């Protein structure tokens, strides 16, 4: 008889499909790479408003069993009604993920012979019981408190700054207390891992590289025109801030020197205010909204921009662009945690002037575009395949489980 594989419960606060955000992409790639390996994988998450049935085939590729619970409809006034959580001792973004039915499902699953529990994102902790009897691992995608601190540092509105600072203090405490409950913490960069290791009482911390599907994101020569692209969920505040920064402070200098330049912003739920601002100023910006496949929208791009000023973790979008051969221009934060080199794998610019100069330089120099494109693709091929990252994650899970034998 074949010995039964250990049972791994993977708890996500989000339904993973469609995989239209960096965190979802990273998670689904890892689970897909682990499926059929050392563990029997039980995925627990909200059902995504009935999408679990629609994505049955995708679920089969990432888990052996899916258990879900109904996902509450936040309503059209969600962004207003969630402000009531400002009075909570927990951060607003955490309280918003709270689900009584989800906690019941997770607690029942944990009592049913689970060998290893993996919680995906810090926000999944609102679904956790007060205690559990198996080995456990937290998969972090960011240093969450750092994101709040960065929002506070860039906002110009005193009231908003005070709110971000309040949320930062709450998240800092919540993050620290939560991470102490786990046998292992997985971080998405060595930089994030070092931050967590410095926290008192946090156990083993292991970094994993950021992976990309090299077959799906195939390389092709970069475009020769003035087409600039950005991809990312446009209902995420860090992306909204980045595009506002690009539109208001970087774009005027770019279009002055490259009047034919135009921008495609690929991502779900673009802010109506942002779209209206571009329309009112008659900017050549196209907002696609949600798309099933970003590749056809970026295929002829000459440059890929990451003008981020806030955020955390690592940006999968950078490696996807590099894999496709689209030369990248980024702030330092946009490629934070990725061990890549300016002028070898991408062009760097933190100030509006430096970013604009780097972008114009790229648009004007075909040889530079080709060199960056080829060197970036070679780098991700050597270091960043999604299969290798999944194997590393599985090995960390296995080591965490085996730690029970040495306790």
């Amino acid at each position: 008889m074949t010995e039964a594989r250990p049972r791994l419960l993977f708890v996500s606060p989000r339904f993973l499909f469609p995989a239209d955000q960096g965190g979802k992409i990273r998670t689904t790639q890892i689970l897909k790479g682990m499926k059929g390996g050392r563990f029997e994988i039980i995925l627990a998450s909200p059902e995504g408003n009935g999408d679990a049935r629609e994505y049955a085939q995708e679920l089969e590729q990432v888990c052996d069993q899916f258990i879900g619970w109904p996902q509450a409809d936040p309503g059209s006034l969600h962004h207003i009604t969630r402000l009531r959580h400002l009075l909570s001792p927990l951060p607003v973004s955490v309280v918003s993920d709270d689900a009584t039915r989800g906690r019941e499902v997770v607690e029942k699953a944990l009592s049913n012979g689970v060998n290893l529990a993996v919680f995906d994102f810090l926000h999944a902790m609102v679904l956790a019981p007060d205690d559990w009897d198996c080995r456990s691992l937290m998969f972090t995608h960011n240093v969450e408190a750092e994101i709040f601190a960065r929002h506070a540092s860039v906002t110009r509105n005193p009231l908003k700054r005070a709110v971000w600072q309040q949320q930062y203090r709450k998240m800092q405490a919540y993050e620290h207390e939560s991470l102490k409950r786990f046998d292992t913490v997985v971080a998405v960069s060595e930089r994030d891992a070092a931050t967590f290791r410095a926290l008192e009482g946090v156990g083993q911390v292991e970094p994993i590289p950021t992976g990309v599907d090299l077959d799906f994101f195939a390389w092709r020569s970069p475009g020769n025109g003035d087409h600039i692209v950005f991809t990312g969920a446009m209902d995420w505040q860090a992306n909204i801030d980045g595009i506002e920064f690009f539109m208001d402070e970087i774009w005027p200098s770019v279009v002055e020197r490259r009047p034919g330049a135009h921008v495609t912003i690929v991502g779900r739920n673009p802010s109506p205010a942002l779209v209206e601002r571009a329309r009112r100023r008659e900017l050549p910006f196209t907002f696609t909204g949600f798309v099933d496949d970003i590749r056809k929208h970026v295929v002829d791009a000459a440059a890929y921009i990451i003008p981020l000023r806030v955020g955390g973790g690592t940006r999968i979008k950078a490696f996807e662009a590099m894999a496709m051969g689209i030369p990248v221009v980024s702030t330092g934060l946009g490629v934070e945690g990725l061990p890549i080199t300016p002028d070898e794998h991408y062009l760097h610019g933190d100030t509006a002037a430096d970013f604009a100069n780097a972008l114009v330089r790229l648009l004007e120099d075909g040889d530079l575009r080709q060199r960056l494109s080829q060197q970036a693709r070679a780098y991700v091929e050597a270091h960043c395949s999604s299969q290798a990252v999944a194997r590393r994650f599985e090995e960390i899970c296995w080591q965490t489980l085996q730690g029970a034998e040495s306790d």
Side-chain angles (χ1 to χ4, degrees):
M1 293 179 62
T2 302
E3 185 177 350
R5 293 177 296 166
R7 305 179 80 228
L8 184 154
L9 177 67
F10 194 96
V11 181
S12 172
R14 300 282 189 272
F15 186 63
L16 295 177
F17 300 100
D20 55 358
Q21 294 174 283
K24 289 183 180 182
I25 293 168
R26 181 184 287 114
T27 292
T28 53
Q29 286 180 349
I30 287 174
L31 289 177
K32 188 179 295 185
M34 291 176 60
K35 174 72 185 296
R38 289 177 168 180
F39 295 92
E40 176 188 349
I41 299 173
I42 303 131
L43 173 61
S45 83
E47 294 174 347
N49 295 323
D51 289 342
R53 293 184 299 273
E54 179 183 350
Y55 289 98
Q57 183 176 353
E58 287 83 353
L59 285 168
E60 287 181 4
Q61 294 175 346
V62 301
C63 66
D64 298 286
Q65 179 186 356
F66 174 73
I67 52 177
W69 56 90
Q71 180 168 307
D73 182 1
S76 59
L77 299 178
H78 172 63
H79 292 293
I80 297 176
T81 58
R82 75 198 301 255
L83 294 179
R84 70 186 187 279
H85 298 312
L86 287 173
L87 301 178
S88 169
L90 300 179
V92 169
S93 58
V94 170
V95 180
S96 299
D97 285 327
D98 194 6
T100 301
R101 179 60 180 143
R103 287 196 303 277
E104 294 172 352
V105 169
V106 170
E107 186 167 13
K108 181 178 179 181
L110 285 168
S111 67
N112 193 28
V114 168
N115 303 100
L116 177 67
V118 177
F119 286 79
D120 189 31
F121 277 98
L122 184 70
H123 299 70
M125 285 303 294
V126 296
L127 304 171
D130 292 335
D131 197 12
W132 53 77
D133 295 326
C134 62
R135 301 288 287 183
S136 60
L137 181 151
M138 166 58 73
F139 182 20
T140 65
H141 297 246
N142 310 288
V143 179
E144 297 290 343
E146 188 173 57
I147 298 174
F148 288 82
R150 286 171 170 170
H151 276 294
S153 70
V154 301
T155 185
R156 299 175 180 176
N157 183 298
L159 179 59
K160 289 184 178 180
R161 185 183 306 114
V163 171
W164 281 119
Q165 289 172 339
Q166 177 217 48
Q167 292 298 300
Y168 161 69
R169 291 188 292 270
K170 291 181 179 181
M171 182 61 81
Q172 187 179 43
Y174 183 77
E175 189 166 42
H176 188 186
E177 290 304 311
S178 295
L179 296 183
K180 290 194 295 186
R181 299 183 63 187
F182 291 89
D183 299 298
T184 303
V185 174
V186 172
V188 296
S189 71
E190 179 56 46
R191 179 188 177 278
D192 285 8
T195 299
F196 296 139
R197 290 188 190 112
L199 298 177
E200 183 181 358
V202 175
Q204 185 72 15
V205 181
E206 297 286 349
I208 60 170
T210 293
V212 62
D213 188 333
L214 297 177
D215 294 326
F216 185 80
F217 293 105
W219 182 88
R220 64 185 299 158
S221 187
N224 290 319
D226 281 322
H227 186 195
I228 302 162
V229 296
F230 172 88
T231 67
M234 288 309 297
D235 53 2
W236 189 44
Q237 187 58 45
N239 286 340
I240 295 172
D241 176 82
I243 295 303
E244 288 178 339
F245 172 52
F246 181 79
M247 182 184 295
D248 294 341
E249 301 186 38
I250 299 171
W251 177 252
S253 180
V254 173
V255 76
E256 180 181 0
R257 289 174 281 175
R258 302 293 295 184
H262 55 286
V263 183
T264 300
I265 298 168
V266 185
R268 72 179 194 194
N269 300 333
S271 162
L274 196 61
V275 175
E276 173 59 22
R277 186 188 305 184
R279 186 201 64 78
R280 188 173 60 249
R281 290 167 54 181
E282 298 183 345
L283 301 181
F285 284 39
T286 299
F287 294 84
T288 68
F290 172 76
V291 299
D292 290 319
D293 187 343
I294 69 169
R295 293 172 299 176
K296 62 183 178 182
H297 297 277
V298 304
V299 65
D300 64 341
Y304 185 102
I305 56 169
I306 312 178
L308 298 188
R309 302 187 297 175
V310 296
T314 57
R315 256 61 59 187
I316 290 177
K317 59 168 63 79
F319 280 173
E320 289 177 348
M322 291 167 63
M324 289 186 287
I326 309 172
V328 173
V329 181
S330 179
T331 59
L333 192 143
V335 295
E336 183 179 68
L338 303 179
I340 56 178
T341 305
D343 294 320
E344 181 178 352
H345 304 120
Y346 77 104
L347 298 185
H348 177 266
D350 273 328
T351 68
D354 287 345
F355 197 105
N357 289 336
L359 181 54
V360 170
R361 175 186 166 207
L362 187 65
L363 295 176
E364 292 179 341
D365 190 338
D367 290 339
L368 174 62
R369 291 197 300 275
Q370 194 68 27
R371 177 174 64 81
L372 287 176
S373 173
Q374 293 173 342
Q375 291 174 171
R377 174 69 189 197
Y379 179 88
V380 294
E381 285 181 352
H383 301 283
C384 308
S385 76
S386 56
Q387 293 87 350
V389 175
R391 288 194 297 270
R392 175 59 184 150
F393 191 91
E394 183 182 61
E395 181 61 29
I396 295 171
C397 289
W398 187 255
Q399 291 171 355
T400 301
L401 180 61
Q402 296 306 302
E405 299 177 359
S406 60
D407 287 350

